[in-house]
């Protein structure tokens, strides 16, 4: 069950100063706590990221599924979030990057984690790229 898997990753992240094993081992991971677009409930999701200047780039790949992840819809409705990176927790605001920048940032993520190329090949949707800015 995805929520159980996410909770295991979240627990491991918090117990090990932001480091986890398994699929995410060796990659930078951020915990996004977002407000539900419909429910209004706070939900935490582990997401790979890479730093880009003073912002953090995340990809709404959803493993190449034909629909966006719930956290993406949450951020469209409520762009303010809480981010956890390592042992630091901070307020941030999400912004979808424009098409001119999207492809270059997606290619950077593919260079870091080649599985993102497979995600893009598995779906016909254009996978969104977002930037997190500290509040």
């Amino acid at each position: 069950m995805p929520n159980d898997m996410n909770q295991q990753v979240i627990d491991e992240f918090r117990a090990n100063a932001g480091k986890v094993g398994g699929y995410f081992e060796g990659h930078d991971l951020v915990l996004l706590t977002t407000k539900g677009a419909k429910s209004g409930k706070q939900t935490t999701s582990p997401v790979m990221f890479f730093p880009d200047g003073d912002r953090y780039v995340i990809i709404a790949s959803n493993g190449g599924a034909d629909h966006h992840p719930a956290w993406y819809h949450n951020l469209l409705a409520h762009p303010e979030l809480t981010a956890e990176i390592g042992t630091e927790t901070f307020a941030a605001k999400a912004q979808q990057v424009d098409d001119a920048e999207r492809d270059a940032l997606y290619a950077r993520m593919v260079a870091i984690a080649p599985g993102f190329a497979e995600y893009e090949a598995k779906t016909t949707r254009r996978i969104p790229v977002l930037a997190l800015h500290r509040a």
Side-chain angles (χ1 to χ4, degrees):
M1 193 163 201
N3 288 340
D4 289 342
M5 187 181 89
N6 278 353
Q7 191 59 53
Q8 289 174 3
V9 172
I10 291 164
D11 292 345
E12 184 179 359
F13 179 101
R14 289 178 173 156
N16 296 296
K19 302 293 182 202
V20 298
Y23 176 77
F24 294 113
E25 187 169 3
H27 294 291
D28 289 328
L29 195 64
V30 58
L31 299 184
L32 307 175
T33 300
T34 61
K35 182 177 180 180
K38 294 180 185 175
S39 71
K41 288 185 187 179
Q42 297 289 311
T43 305
T44 301
S45 305
V47 178
M48 286 178 57
F49 79 93
F50 65 86
D52 182 56
D54 61 352
R55 64 187 186 168
Y56 306 95
V57 176
I58 58 175
I59 312 287
S61 66
N62 205 19
D66 286 330
H67 58 279
H68 299 309
W71 61 258
Y72 172 74
H73 296 289
N74 294 348
L75 290 175
L76 288 183
H78 308 285
E80 295 79 19
L81 68 136
T82 300
E84 295 175 57
I85 296 177
T87 59
E88 184 181 10
T89 301
F90 56 93
K93 187 169 184 176
Q95 177 182 21
Q96 188 160 329
V97 301
D98 60 30
D99 282 341
E101 189 178 24
R102 182 254 178 223
D103 292 344
L105 292 173
Y106 199 96
R108 283 181 59 193
M109 181 60 90
V110 168
I112 294 165
F116 279 85
E118 295 171 24
Y119 300 157
E120 200 166 34
K122 283 172 56 175
T123 185
T124 57
R125 72 180 171 93
R126 184 156 171 83
I127 297 175
V129 175
L130 295 96
L132 305 179
H133 302 271
R134 288 176 181 265

